[in-house]
Amino acid sequence: MDIRYSANQRDFKRYTTEELRDEFLIQNLYQPDKVVSVYSHVDRMVTLGCMPVSETVSIEKDMDVWACFGTEYFLERREIGIFNIGCPGKVTVDGKVYPMDNKDCLYITRGSKEVLFESNDASAPAKFYMVSAPAHCSYETRLIKITDAAKRPLGSAEASNKRVIYQFIHPSVLPTCQLSMGLTALEPGSVWNTMPAHTHERRMEVYTYFDIPKGNVVFHMMGEPTETRHIVMQNEEAVINPSWSIHAGAGTSNYTFIWAMGGENQAFDDMDNIAITDLR
C-alpha cells in the first residue's frame, strides 16, 4: 500500500512538477488481478483500484490490514464506495452478489468482512474504482444504478461547462457516515468542470478522470485560489485534493470524472466560492 502523508499549503508553493505529481497523483490503479491502494492521511481516505481478469480477487489481496489500519479486516471500521468504470463484473459482499455494469455504484457499509471482485469476461474486464473513509456506525449495503442517482444538470455550452452531476452516495439517495460520491459527465464541446472554483475547509476530495478519448488529457487545477498549480492527467488516473485546495479542471476533450468526499459534514453548500477573476 502506498501511504501519502498530509501536505500543507506553505510547502505546496515550492513543489516542482515531479513533487506535485508524487504527492497528489494516483496512477496505475488497474493491474490484472491486483488491488492497488493509496492511503492518504488527508482525512484518512483510501483510494483503490481492482481489475480482476483470470481470478476472483479479494479486496485485501495486496494489503496488510493490521499494519495499515490496526483492524482484523479492512472494513471493520470503514465504509466504501465502488464504481465500475470498465466492462460488466460483479462484487460479492459476505456472500451476496451484486452485478455491476459500467457506471454502476455500490456502497458497502462498515462491518462487511469479505469483498470479492470478478469480471464477467476475462477478455473485457471490469475496472472497480473505490474510495473508503473511516466510519463510526453501520448502515445498509446498496447497489445504485445511474437511473437511481440524483441528477443535476449544470452549466452551459456557452461557458464550455455543460454537464450532468449524478449523486450516488449522497444524503438524498442513502445514509452514510461521512462518505459522499458521485459522477459528473461533460457533454461534447464542454471541457471545464467545477467552475466557479471553490474550496471546502471541512472536507477533502478525490477526483478520478476517465472516458478521456485517446490522445487527450485533463489539466487538473489545485492549490490555494491565489497560488494555483496544475497536474496533467491521463485517462483513469486519480488525484488527492486537500481541504485548502481548489479542485477544477479543463480537458482537451470532454470527459467524465468521479468525485469522492470525506470530512466533517456532507453539506454540499458548505463551500467557499471563488470568483473566476480572483484566481491566480
Side-chain angles (χ1 to χ4, degrees):
M1 176 176 285
D2 182 5
I3 298 178
R4 311 278 181 95
Y5 290 92
S6 299
N8 67 69
Q9 55 268 57
R10 295 180 299 278
D11 292 342
F12 177 86
K13 297 175 184 179
R14 299 190 292 270
Y15 283 0
T16 64
T17 298
E18 183 179 0
E19 289 171 329
L20 191 69
R21 294 172 68 85
D22 288 344
E23 194 73 40
F24 301 104
L25 181 63
I26 301 173
Q27 298 177 292
N28 303 313
L29 278 167
Y30 308 102
Q31 302 177 29
D33 297 323
K34 291 185 177 295
V35 176
V36 178
S37 55
V38 175
Y39 182 6
S40 171
H41 279 260
V42 180
D43 287 311
R44 298 192 177 274
M45 301 285 273
V46 183
T47 303
L48 311 96
C50 179
M51 185 176 70
V53 177
S54 59
E55 61 184 72
T56 299
V57 180
S58 167
I59 197 170
E60 298 181 359
K61 180 181 180 182
D62 296 294
M63 69 171 70
D64 186 332
V65 175
W66 178 260
C68 292
F69 308 106
T71 57
E72 296 298 326
Y73 55 95
F74 178 52
L75 295 179
E76 183 177 335
R77 297 189 60 82
R78 286 184 161 270
E79 58 188 353
I80 193 169
I82 303 172
F83 275 87
N84 181 10
I85 66 169
C87 296
K90 60 184 178 181
V91 180
T92 303
V93 183
D94 290 339
K96 184 172 181 178
V97 178
Y98 296 89
M100 294 187 67
D101 293 324
N102 183 262
K103 295 185 176 68
D104 283 351
C105 176
L106 178 65
Y107 169 75
I108 304 178
T109 189
R110 186 192 78 157
S112 302
K113 291 186 176 180
E114 185 182 59
V115 181
L116 305 173
F117 304 102
E118 295 179 67
S119 293
N120 291 1
D121 183 348
S123 65
K127 293 180 180 179
F128 297 105
Y129 172 75
M130 300 167 266
V131 178
S132 172
H136 62 275
C137 64
S138 300
Y139 286 99
E140 180 184 0
T141 296
R142 179 175 162 188
L143 178 65
I144 309 146
K145 298 284 188 178
I146 197 165
T147 53
D148 300 323
K151 183 178 177 181
R152 293 183 57 197
L154 285 177
S156 66
E158 291 77 12
S160 301
N161 66 354
K162 191 174 183 181
R163 62 200 189 275
V164 178
I165 298 176
Y166 296 91
Q167 297 167 331
F168 286 80
I169 300 175
H170 181 271
S172 66
V173 179
L174 78 170
T176 66
C177 287
Q178 65 161 312
L179 183 65
S180 297
M181 291 183 75
L183 178 152
T184 299
L186 276 73
E187 297 195 5
S190 287
V191 297
W192 279 103
N193 74 66
T194 320
M195 278 293 175
H198 60 265
T199 59
H200 22 73
E201 184 63 27
R202 286 156 290 280
R203 287 175 289 152
M204 66 86 72
E205 196 155 4
V206 181
Y207 274 13
T208 191
Y209 293 94
F210 67 107
D211 285 351
I212 302 175
K214 186 176 180 180
N216 289 273
V217 298
V218 172
F219 289 76
H220 179 79
M221 309 296 177
M222 62 182 302
E224 291 182 287
T226 57
E227 292 277 353
T228 61
R229 303 288 187 272
H230 72 265
I231 297 178
V232 179
M233 300 190 61
Q234 307 280 342
N235 192 40
E236 298 179 353
E237 294 181 340
V239 61
I240 300 165
N241 299 276
S243 60
W244 47 261
S245 174
I246 66 166
H247 36 279
T252 56
S253 172
N254 64 311
Y255 50 89
T256 303
F257 69 99
I258 293 168
W259 42 269
M261 289 186 284
E264 296 292 343
N265 64 39
Q266 296 175 309
F268 275 70
D269 57 354
D270 181 13
M271 61 181 68
D272 297 314
N273 289 302
I274 299 113
I276 294 173
T277 52
D278 288 338
L279 294 171
R280 298 291 185 267

